[in-house]
Amino acid sequence: MGAHRIRLRAPWRRETLAKGGLRWTRRFHRPTGLSSADRVWVVVAGKPAGGEAWLNGRSLGVLTVGGETRFDVTLLLAEFSELAIGMGEQAEGVGAGDAPAEVWLEIG
């Protein structure tokens, strides 16, 4: 069986940071039916500008510009988690409530 994807589409909350730049946040439930062998990744693809990701206030790392970045978050998931994506530049073409990139959870 292949990996299962859960897309994290709207609604995202966008805020302008005091030191400049933007941060998008989105809350989500822990996926159900996970076994002890399952791993869960946050995947961010097509990021228009360099940035960083956090889960529940903990830094996951730096995002690859224009590529796909994967973070193993299996041990960081809570019943309700909050994912944040921050970057120093405005993402062109991103509407209110939209994510600044393609974002999904991948279970495998």
Side-chain angles (χ1 to χ4, degrees):
M1 178 188 268
H4 176 69
R5 285 187 179 186
I6 301 171
R7 296 198 183 277
L8 298 179
R9 294 186 175 132
W12 285 79
R13 189 181 75 213
R14 182 176 66 188
E15 63 182 307
T16 302
L17 304 175
K19 294 182 180 181
L22 298 169
R23 178 173 49 211
W24 284 262
T25 55
R26 187 185 187 288
R27 294 181 54 86
F28 61 92
H29 295 272
R30 178 184 177 90
T32 59
L34 295 176
S35 75
S36 60
D38 286 330
R39 306 302 297 172
V40 181
W41 292 270
V42 165
V43 183
V44 181
K47 186 80 171 127
E52 187 174 357
W54 297 267
L55 184 67
N56 299 326
R58 198 165 170 186
S59 176
L60 297 176
V62 176
L63 300 169
T64 303
V65 176
E68 182 178 290
T69 309
R70 301 168 60 82
F71 302 105
D72 185 341
V73 297
T74 307
L75 300 177
L76 301 176
L77 290 172
E79 181 70 25
F80 296 97
S81 291
E82 182 175 77
L83 178 63
I85 296 174
M87 67 177 150
E89 299 176 13
Q90 173 70 33
E92 292 183 29
V94 177
D98 292 335
E102 290 290 322
V103 183
W104 65 87
L105 300 179
E106 192 167 290
I107 303 166

